[in-house]
Amino acid sequence: MTAIESAQTTDATAPAPDADPEAVLARVLQIANDGAICTLGSLGHELGLFDTLAGLPPVTSAQLADAAGFQERWVREWLGGMVTAGFVEYVPADRTYYLCPDHAPFLTGRTPDNLARMMRYNALWGQVQPKVVRAFREGGGLTYDDYPGFHAIQAEESASVNDSSLVSTIMPVAGVEDRLRAGIDVADVGCGEGHAINLLARAYPASRFWGFDFSPDAIAIARAEAEEWGLTNATFVVCDVASPIAEPASYDLVTAFDTIHDQAHPATVLANAREALRPDGTFLVVDIKSSSNLEENLDLPWASFLYATSLFHCMAVSLGQGGEGLGTVWGVQTAERMLHDAGFSDVVVHDLEEDPFNAYFVARP
């Protein structure tokens, strides 16, 4: 069972409106405790403590600290939180610790099942909460500069899926792998650190790839990876994708990986993508899978996480640019409508078993 399948089969429903007050109190206390576990888990992932612990036999706090290169007193307190969370087992007789074997797949490694990386978002939201409070009172939003390290966190998360599925599964879903092998022109809007484009450029050397993003820091990382890999068919450009990215009909394939919903002007970006496509081109949009109707998200186990992510980042940065504040949970229905409004006559939505968080929209003129 994967991490996501496990989450989907867990009963995480809230108490009924007429529930026993003690049940409500217990749930609220559990949420507060789980929030603390999330913070500790984020720290364990960022410091590599889960991965270090997974590679060791039962160890003392001093031995783990020595192996990880950290101060023992800090490591010991973190271990206390992880033991009481049930992530780590403690043997009192010899004061040793080991990572629970059933937890290890979901807390370590570079696979999509490692959900510890998601916990880092919550830690980042805590950093910006005072600015979000101000926005509630005064309006407006935040800027990308308010989120130190955000691109790195997002890049790590998306790479876990793209490394395993982009070439083998996602491109076949888009129906363009034969054309990519033959050689076509490809653009990625909102490319971030460009890992997806570099993966494609390495896999399809006959094709030509361009990545567009308005973050100079992210583009610099994308260019460095392309250079490290010796790619000559990947080009990265600093620009706002709300402006036309090229002359009309310049590309055979345009992609947008988890970026449309936090654009200041998403309808404009979609229209620009349609304009940039050749008549027989394909637009692949990968974005959050949810409903546009709140009542249809009640059974989604991570729905509250999505709304929090929207409020603390995606909606916030859109509003901060004077944008529409579409938000993370814009939903499949709104996405389909906006793609049609942008001039795409053929829109098909695909689901991937290995990526239940996202919907895959394949749109053609």
Side-chain angles (χ1 to χ4, degrees):
M1 177 179 290
T2 68
I4 308 307
E5 289 169 335
S6 177
Q8 288 174 321
T9 57
T10 299
D11 183 6
T13 56
D18 58 349
D20 185 334
E22 290 188 4
V24 176
L25 174 61
R27 180 169 185 265
V28 173
L29 287 173
Q30 186 64 55
I31 290 169
N33 194 61
D34 287 345
I37 293 170
C38 185
T39 302
L40 291 167
S42 168
L43 191 64
H45 176 75
E46 184 170 353
L47 295 175
L49 284 167
F50 288 129
D51 286 306
T52 301
L53 196 56
L56 296 172
V59 291
T60 66
S61 57
Q63 289 170 328
L64 176 59
D66 183 63
F70 300 129
Q71 300 296 311
E72 185 276 336
R73 184 65 188 93
W74 289 89
V75 170
R76 182 168 19 118
E77 205 72 2
W78 176 81
L79 283 167
M82 292 295 89
V83 169
T84 53
F87 289 5
V88 173
E89 287 289 343
Y90 177 58
V91 183
D94 52 14
R95 296 184 178 181
T96 58
Y97 306 80
Y98 62 92
L99 187 63
C100 297
D102 57 345
H103 282 58
F106 309 135
L107 298 172
T108 63
R110 295 176 56 85
T111 72
D113 272 352
N114 183 357
L115 300 185
R117 65 173 64 89
M118 290 179 61
M119 299 178 186
R120 295 185 66 188
Y121 285 114
N122 289 44
L124 186 56
W125 304 159
Q127 293 181 48
V128 300
Q129 181 164 323
K131 296 180 180 180
V132 171
V133 169
R134 186 182 63 202
F136 264 80
R137 295 190 172 114
E138 301 175 4
L142 282 72
T143 72
Y144 282 99
D145 291 338
D146 292 319
Y147 301 86
F150 172 77
H151 279 296
I153 295 173
Q154 189 176 51
E156 181 186 13
E157 181 184 1
S158 61
S160 68
V161 174
N162 288 332
D163 284 343
S164 61
S165 303
L166 182 60
V167 174
S168 63
T169 304
I170 296 173
M171 287 302 108
V173 164
V176 294
E177 65 270 37
D178 288 341
R179 299 186 69 189
L180 284 165
R181 281 191 286 267
I184 58 175
D185 296 308
V186 181
D188 185 28
V189 295
C191 68
E193 295 186 359
H195 187 59
I197 280 292
N198 284 330
L199 286 172
L200 292 173
R202 184 172 64 179
Y204 302 105
S207 289
R208 299 154 299 279
F209 298 87
W210 286 263
F212 301 92
D213 199 282
F214 74 172
S215 169
D217 292 340
I219 290 295
I221 293 172
R223 289 170 176 165
E225 183 179 64
E227 182 177 358
E228 179 185 351
W229 290 5
L231 301 175
T232 59
N233 59 335
T235 302
F236 295 95
V237 181
V238 177
C239 77
D240 184 350
V241 295
S243 301
I245 58 176
E247 294 295 320
S250 294
Y251 300 105
D252 303 286
L253 172 65
V254 176
T255 59
F257 296 103
D258 197 27
T259 187
I260 297 298
H261 67 261
D262 55 7
Q263 296 294 320
H265 306 291
T268 302
V269 175
L270 294 176
N272 287 341
R274 168 64 182 86
E275 186 74 10
L277 270 180
R278 291 174 178 142
D280 61 346
T282 300
F283 185 29
L284 172 64
V285 178
V286 181
D287 218 295
I288 298 299
K289 182 168 65 176
S290 64
S291 174
S292 303
N293 305 309
L294 173 58
E295 64 273 16
E296 294 175 358
N297 291 325
L298 296 178
D299 294 328
L300 186 64
W302 45 84
S304 296
F305 177 85
L306 295 181
Y307 282 104
T309 299
S310 183
L311 188 148
F312 281 98
H313 181 266
C314 301
M315 184 192 77
V317 294
S318 177
L319 293 174
Q321 300 170 70
E324 300 161 21
L326 186 61
T328 310
V329 203
W330 61 321
V332 170
Q333 299 93 324
T334 297
E336 287 187 273
R337 174 182 58 77
M338 292 182 68
L339 283 165
H340 283 297
D341 290 347
F344 294 96
S345 59
D346 180 14
V347 179
V348 179
V349 186
H350 300 268
D351 294 328
L352 292 185
E353 183 178 352
E354 56 264 53
D355 182 17
F357 291 112
N358 288 304
Y360 291 74
F361 302 85
V362 179
R364 294 184 173 89

